[in-house]
């Protein structure tokens, strides 16, 4: 391999992403170097670009969910499933690392996603420490990172099309305690909402309603398993309340999943849940401002259960892989990846993601130096 590894670096909020050169890292025992085949530009990256997340140690190499081929291993190295990993394996890794296992969050409360030591590739790992992000030709997998072989049935584009949205959705469905024949409303048709729709469908939901935008994402929501879709911009909250009640015996839905990141969506979701229903809030990953809640009407008298959902755990990562292995041929996760961008076109990718011209941008870090007008390469099969 070449010692010269290029990475796209986000130097500070609001600044253009720059290509920088890194040397190949030394590999201590138990570590590996992953040659990146695909990474992604997700909603989190747009937030990072605008400086909306606290505690981010810019400059960073974004790209928290990525896939590639194990190029060098200082082994032996075992995957999260216990199998031995070898150089040349197609592999993926759980982006959260350094969860301590000793703090009160980890041991007493058993909420490891709230561990203060936890770090996340592409988000809270500084570029000054090396190749800790997927917008790079190679990624350093330090000792302790949870790695898994990508199942043969899953292409890189399947995996990244699902990406962080599927991991998050696995956790959301766990928090939602979905039961067979539950009615489900998903607010938001980005990558998280689309995967939540698919998992609710696979998990035995009866009617699934989605609220989102724009039209292309609503088409995808149907393809992922939604029965009724409402354009959030082309309908009013009052109309949606009436229509949701009409398909739920006048009651509202059993389970509401908020994946919209909007304070108004949260208010609406409280009204659309049935009495005694469950509401999982997962889209308020950044501060979207206050929502107006009437505790009597919306929660207390309604006997509503409201649950937050923050981050994911290794088990969600492995379950996401199993879901893809079994279902990627039939559920169109790869369609979420709208377009694939070269490493030096990620400013365009961020702009396209922000403007919702695509649902998710894929990154092919092996492609650099395209002439203008040839910035996007077609997704591979
Ligand atoms: Zn901890
Ligand atoms: Zn993400």
């Amino acid at each position: 391999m070449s010692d010269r590894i290029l990475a796209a670096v986000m130097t500070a909020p609001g600044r253009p992403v720059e290509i920088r050169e890194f040397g190949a890292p030394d590999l201590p025992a138990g570590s590996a170097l992953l040659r990146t085949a695909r990474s992604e530009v997700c909603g989190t990256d747009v937030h990072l670009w605008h400086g909306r997340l606290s505690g981010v140690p810019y400059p960073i190499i974004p790209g928290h969910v990525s896939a590639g081929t194990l190029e060098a291993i200082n082994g032996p190295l075992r995957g999260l499933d216990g199998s031995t990993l070898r150089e040349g394996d197609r592999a993926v890794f759980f982006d959260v690392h350094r969860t301590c296992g000793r703090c009160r969050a980890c041991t007493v409360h058993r909420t490891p996603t709230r561990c203060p030591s936890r770090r996340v590739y592409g988000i809270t790992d500084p570029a000054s420490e090396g190749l800790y992000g997927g917008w790079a030709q190679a990624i350093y997998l330090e000792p302790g990172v949870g790695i898994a072989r990508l199942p043969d049935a899953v292409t890189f584009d399947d995996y990244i099309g699902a990406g962080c949205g599927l991991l998050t959705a696995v956790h959301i469905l766990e928090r939602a305690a979905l039961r067979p024949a539950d009615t489900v409303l998903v607010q938001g048709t980005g990558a998280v909402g689309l995967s939540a729709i698919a998992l609710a469908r696979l998990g035995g939901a009866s009617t699934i309603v989605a609220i989102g935008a724009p039209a292309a994402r609503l088409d995808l929501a149907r393809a992922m398993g939604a029965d009724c879709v409402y354009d959030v911009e082309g309908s009013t909250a009052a109309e949606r309340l009436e229509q949701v009640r009409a398909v739920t015996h006048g009651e509202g839905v059993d389970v509401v999943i908020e994946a919209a990141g909007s304070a108004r969506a949260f208010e609406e979701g409280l009204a659309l849940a049935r009495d005694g229903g469950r509401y999982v809030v997962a889209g308020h990953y950044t501060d979207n401002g206050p929502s107006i809640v009437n505790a009597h009407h919306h929660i207390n008298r309604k006997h509503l259960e409201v649950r937050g959902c923050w981050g994911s755990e290794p088990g969600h990562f492995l379950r996401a892989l199993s879901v893809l292995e079994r279902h990627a041929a039939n559920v169109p996760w790869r369609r979420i990846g709208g377009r694939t961008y070269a490493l030096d076109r990620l400013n365009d990718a961020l702009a396209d993601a922000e403007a919702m011209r695509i649902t998710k941008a894929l990154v092919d870090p092996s492609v650099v130096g395209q002439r203008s007008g040839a910035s996007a390469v077609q997704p591979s099969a």
Side-chain angles (χ1 to χ4, degrees), residues 64 80 92-97 121 145-147 167 312-314 317:
H64 66 115
L80 273 174
V92 293
F93 63 99
F94 184 50
D95 56 348
V96 179
H97 62 128
Y121 274 76
V145 169
I147 306 171
L167 265 75
S312 45
E313 298 172 38
F317 166 70

Side-chain angles (χ1 to χ4, degrees), residues 42-53 58 283 285-286 288:
C42 76
T44 297
D45 299 307
V46 176
H47 291 316
L48 288 169
W49 196 35
H50 290 293
R52 293 188 195 122
L53 269 69
Y58 300 96
Y285 184 62
T286 57
N288 297 290

Side-chain angles (χ1 to χ4, degrees), residues 40-45 64-65 95 123 163-165 168 360:
E40 64 174 18
V41 180
C42 76
T44 297
D45 299 307
H64 66 115
V65 171
D95 56 348
I123 300 176
C164 58
T168 305
K360 182 194 287 186

